[in-house]
Amino acid sequence: MGVRVLIVGAGTRGDVAPYTGLGARLREAGHEVAVAAHQPYADLVTGAGLEHLPLPGDPLAALTGRFSVRAYAEYGGRLMDGLAGLAEQEADLLLLGVAGAPGRHVAEAMGVPSMGVHLQPIEPTGDFPPVMSLFRRSLGRWGNRRAARLWFESPLLAGANTKLRARLGLPPMSPRDLYRRREDTRWPVFHGVSPLVLPRPADWRPGLEVTGYWWPFRSRAWQPDPVLRDFLSSGPAPVFVGFGSLAGARAERYTELAVRALRRAGLRGVLQTGPRGPLSDDVLAVGDVPHDWLFPRMAAVAHHCGSGTTGSGVRAGVPAVAVPVMNDQPLWASRLAALGVAPAAIPFRRLTSARLAAALSTAAGDPAYERRARALAAQVSVEDGAAPVVEAVNRLGLGWCGDR
């Protein structure tokens, strides 16, 4: 028996795209699926045949050059308004991304179960520093776990949870009690990343699973721009350079940096840094192109190491150049280097055309990186990350109650 599933995919494009593939799999299994996401990503959702529920606010204003404490607070407030409004929707189950985690209170108010569908591993572990903090180096096993636990009880989250619970008419709970209930009930969290890229930490409690990637939906009717096809066929395989949504505020600067790096390295390039069209005979700037189509045609991919882009690069079997910016991105950069499919990462704040050129030359020119990338891709390609989530939702349809 099918159920109505509401996926809360707050965040930027990379936070929404994986849920289109997961949602499509749930729909194929007989469930009705809606995805709550910000308006700029509505087409991603509806293009996958899923219902879009708009969330107010613009996350890019809080993350790019327009960032300020006030902008972040305004975005957070509007997001909480949007989450509270979801309580008026019909749903049998809420699936919550990291940014949509306060949706647990919405599910409680609706009287329905919820589960986590995370693209970032925020659960406390000694294996690596907490990804949603300012820490970049390990604090030791105890310190890593403690710092991650403190994030769950941070004043920012505590204030948002308190206000949302009050608005939903729920009794107040302290951050410590909320966390304890989350752990005592073994609230289920599925992580949409390959266990080959991120092995499941041995110190995680039961209910925290690493399933494999959730690949973004791509319509069979999609066709690449003829200009892109012609460029790819006109010479050696180019390299890809893109820095995700965060580069949008300074697109001209990063485009110039990338072009200088490509010229210095003597490489052809496909850029996804802002403008569109041919920048020279050897450099083409593109807009949104599905990474599962584009990346396998590249000699290497340089990117910001968002979870979804990292997964697409791994799936393509091509070497990477990691240019992490924030949050979970340094973790994925370190994993790519540890797996031998990327040279040492270049932190975004230290990015120069010379450093990028050297890293691209190494990644595209050393056949050892390509061999390891192809071997990893062959293993990842047989994983089915959506299957455990679909199975859990199917159990709900058969009468499974989950955590309420």
Side-chain angles (χ1 to χ4, degrees), residues 326-349:
M326 61 189 299
N327 294 339
D328 57 318
Q329 295 165 11
L331 171 64
W332 304 128
S334 69
R335 292 302 303 148
L336 291 176
L339 291 164
V341 300
I346 309 170
F348 194 67
R349 66 183 181 277

Side-chain angles (χ1 to χ4, degrees), residues 92 152 187 203 245:
D92 301 302
F152 278 94
W187 188 64
D203 58 357
S245 302

Side-chain angles (χ1 to χ4, degrees), residues 55-382:
L55 289 175
D58 180 4
L60 289 181
L63 293 173
T64 62
R66 299 188 298 276
F67 171 81
S68 69
V69 174
R70 180 178 180 180
Y72 192 86
E74 288 179 353
Y75 167 69
R78 297 193 68 188
L79 176 59
M80 290 304 109
D81 290 342
L83 292 178
L86 295 179
E88 302 173 4
Q89 297 289 326
E90 292 291 330
D92 301 302
L93 169 69
L94 267 60
L95 300 183
L96 309 174
V98 169
R104 287 197 71 210
H105 311 306
V106 177
E108 181 181 345
M110 296 171 72
V112 302
S114 64
M115 298 186 295
V117 283
H118 290 183
L119 305 176
Q120 300 85 15
I122 63 172
E123 309 296 332
T125 176
D127 288 5
F128 44 81
V131 300
M132 303 303 287
S133 76
L134 298 177
F135 298 108
R136 292 293 178 263
R137 296 183 179 179
S138 176
L139 304 172
R141 296 197 64 84
W142 183 89
N144 288 343
R145 287 188 59 84
R146 182 59 181 163
R149 170 69 184 271
L150 289 175
W151 179 80
F152 278 94
E153 299 177 7
S154 66
L156 181 65
L157 291 181
N161 287 331
T162 297
K163 291 178 181 178
L164 185 56
R165 290 185 68 82
R167 179 166 178 175
L168 294 169
L170 299 173
M173 291 185 71
S174 70
R176 179 172 298 180
D177 287 340
L178 284 170
Y179 182 79
R180 184 179 294 117
R181 184 172 73 171
R182 184 182 191 275
E183 298 305 287
D184 289 346
T185 58
R186 294 185 174 179
W187 188 64
V189 181
F190 299 96
H191 294 83
V193 60
S194 169
L196 296 169
V197 174
L198 185 74
R200 183 185 184 280
D203 58 357
W204 272 4
R205 62 162 172 83
L208 305 177
E209 304 299 336
V210 178
T211 66
Y213 286 108
W214 305 319
W215 305 118
F217 177 86
R218 174 158 64 95
S219 170
R220 293 180 180 178
W222 181 85
Q223 292 292 327
D225 189 314
V227 174
L228 175 56
R229 276 196 181 276
D230 291 344
F231 178 79
L232 294 177
S233 64
S234 67
V239 298
F240 170 89
V241 181
F243 305 122
S245 302
L246 296 178
R250 300 180 179 179
E252 183 176 343
R253 171 186 172 185
Y254 295 121
T255 297
E256 291 176 354
L257 185 154
V259 170
R260 290 198 303 270
L262 292 168
R263 186 179 301 120
R264 185 168 186 152
L267 295 168
R268 303 174 74 230
V270 173
L271 305 189
Q272 202 172 49
T273 55
R276 302 184 186 187
L279 302 182
S280 72
D281 290 343
D282 292 326
V283 182
L284 177 68
V286 299
D288 293 327
V289 179
H291 287 168
D292 68 316
W293 184 90
L294 182 63
F295 283 4
R297 292 166 168 80
M298 300 293 104
V301 292
H303 57 79
H304 64 303
C305 289
S307 176
T309 308
T310 299
S312 294
V314 167
R315 184 190 194 186
V318 295
V321 170
V323 189
V325 184
M326 61 189 299
N327 294 339
D328 57 318
Q329 295 165 11
L331 171 64
W332 304 128
S334 69
R335 292 302 303 148
L336 291 176
L339 291 164
V341 300
I346 309 170
F348 194 67
R349 66 183 181 277
R350 297 180 58 197
L351 183 65
T352 65
S353 60
R355 289 191 176 105
L356 181 58
L360 285 170
S361 296
T362 298
D366 186 341
Y369 286 107
E370 182 181 6
R371 286 197 302 270
R372 289 188 289 262
R374 289 186 179 278
L376 178 61
Q379 294 177 284
V380 169
S381 66
V382 300

